[in-house]
Amino acid sequence: MSTGTRPASRADEVARIGAVVSDVVERLFGTVTAVRAAAVTSCARDGVRAGRPVLDVGVRDLLREPGQLAVGLGLVVAPQPERSLPLRLEWWQVDPDGGHLRTLEPDLKPTSLGYYDYTATEWFDVPRRTGRRHVVGPYVDVHGTGRYLLTLTEPVLVDGEFVGVVGADVSVRRFETHLLQVLGRLPVPFLLLNDEDRVVLSTAPRRLVGGLLPPGAGPAGPGTAVAGVPWRLQLVDDASLLRA
């Protein structure tokens, strides 16, 4: 009778990768939820008023926690002109050069050429419409940091009123490095794809992160959904996925 270890099946490998990805995402959303709790407590106590910060200094400390994957964190307020509440962010980023925290200050003036109307972005609009959390990316943050990011957001509701979203920015490179370190050696290449067929993570040659999977290049099956995010996993044993 053999006492050797049974090789992992395809199903086992997909389940393992999916569990690791889901665990990392849930850890990030745990940070986002902590920011939401702070925002809800502050808004319920004092409301949202122009010129008064909602988040306290303690929220920034989340970015300094050991092992933190997020490089940006904060609250994005829903504008309410009738209450003199303009577009406003309370958002902090980790400076990639020195590791210091700085506030994110995009151009929020409607009359400016560089005006950034964040209410039209997917990461703001989807949680506002659905009342659910959302993940966007990979994308280049041209209006803020210039980094290649994933953004995770949740709506903030106080007494049933939508007051904005809280979220976390995650560097694609940091996300990729961490996941590959946790996963270790993989017997089969895989792709992690978002709902647009854009590559979130890849161990397949010539399928680069951020690239769109060409029409007809994908496998016959739909892949395996990753719990908690609009992503799916696809093991790569199809030569078409390895070609440019």
Side-chain angles (χ1 to χ4, degrees):
M1 181 176 67
S2 173
T3 58
T5 302
R6 179 178 63 87
S9 67
R10 286 177 58 89
D12 291 337
E13 193 62 17
V14 168
R16 184 179 78 89
I17 297 170
V20 169
V21 173
S22 184
D23 180 68
V24 171
V25 169
E26 291 304 321
R27 199 172 96 202
L28 284 163
F29 267 117
T31 299
V32 175
T33 298
V35 179
R36 179 170 59 83
V40 168
T41 298
S42 177
C43 291
R45 182 185 62 236
D46 302 318
V48 181
R49 298 197 299 269
R52 191 193 70 82
V54 173
L55 299 178
D56 60 26
V57 175
V59 170
R60 297 175 232 178
D61 293 336
L62 293 171
L63 281 171
R64 298 189 178 98
E65 289 185 344
Q68 179 62 263
L69 293 179
V71 297
L73 202 63
L75 166 72
V76 182
V77 176
Q80 299 181 52
E82 70 280 4
R83 294 172 56 186
S84 299
L85 291 176
L87 294 168
R88 186 172 113 210
L89 287 82
E90 294 182 27
W91 198 276
W92 296 272
Q93 293 283 343
V94 179
D95 187 334
D97 297 322
H100 302 295
L101 295 189
R102 63 181 181 87
T103 57
L104 188 62
E105 298 179 354
D107 188 345
L108 302 178
K109 297 178 181 178
T111 57
S112 173
L113 289 175
Y115 172 48
Y116 181 35
D117 181 10
Y118 59 69
T119 64
T121 65
E122 181 182 344
W123 53 259
F124 187 91
D125 183 57
V126 172
R128 175 177 56 184
R129 288 188 294 102
T130 67
R132 299 177 182 177
R133 71 188 199 180
H134 192 57
V135 181
V136 174
Y139 71 101
V140 178
D141 181 21
V142 295
H143 288 282
T145 65
R147 294 179 180 178
Y148 208 30
L149 298 175
L150 299 168
T151 297
L152 301 83
T153 50
E154 287 186 356
V156 179
L157 300 174
V158 177
D159 296 329
E161 179 187 4
F162 175 76
V163 297
V165 303
V166 290
D169 285 335
V170 184
S171 160
V172 169
R173 178 178 295 181
R174 183 180 289 192
F175 181 78
E176 177 183 42
T177 299
H178 177 76
L179 276 177
L180 293 181
Q181 286 176 344
V182 174
L183 287 169
R185 186 174 179 179
L186 296 161
V188 180
F190 76 91
L191 299 177
L192 181 62
L193 302 168
N194 68 13
D195 53 359
E196 297 178 330
D197 276 351
R198 190 173 297 279
V199 178
V200 178
L201 180 64
S202 169
T203 61
R206 298 195 176 185
R207 292 299 174 208
L208 301 180
V209 171
L212 283 170
L213 203 63
T224 301
V226 177
V229 283
W231 295 344
R232 72 182 193 280
L233 279 167
Q234 190 68 59
L235 295 187
V236 179
D237 54 7
D238 184 340
S240 67
L241 283 170
L242 297 172
R243 295 196 298 267

